[in-house]
Amino acid sequence: MKSRVRELREACGWSQAQLGDRLDVSRQTINAIETGKYDPSLPLAFRIAREFAEPIESIFLFEDVP
């Protein structure tokens, strides 16, 4: 799943560690989400959306992989 987490985080001027602290997850988790190696749980996706005041659908973009 693609995400706009990096774009939104950088627009806020936050490091991965700062966003991780705000969401109560590790910097490594933020990195994995940003690089597409990890899809967040639904509760975490809601927390991310709330943190950026954006709908989940505008942050996480589902790709139908054949």
Side-chain angles (χ1 to χ4, degrees), residues 31-54:
N31 180 268
I33 291 169
E34 289 183 354
T35 58
K37 295 177 182 168
Y38 173 73
D39 291 337
S41 66
L42 191 55
L44 178 54
F46 272 107
R47 291 199 323 263
I48 292 168
R50 199 172 304 123
E51 192 65 41
F52 292 120
E54 297 247 353

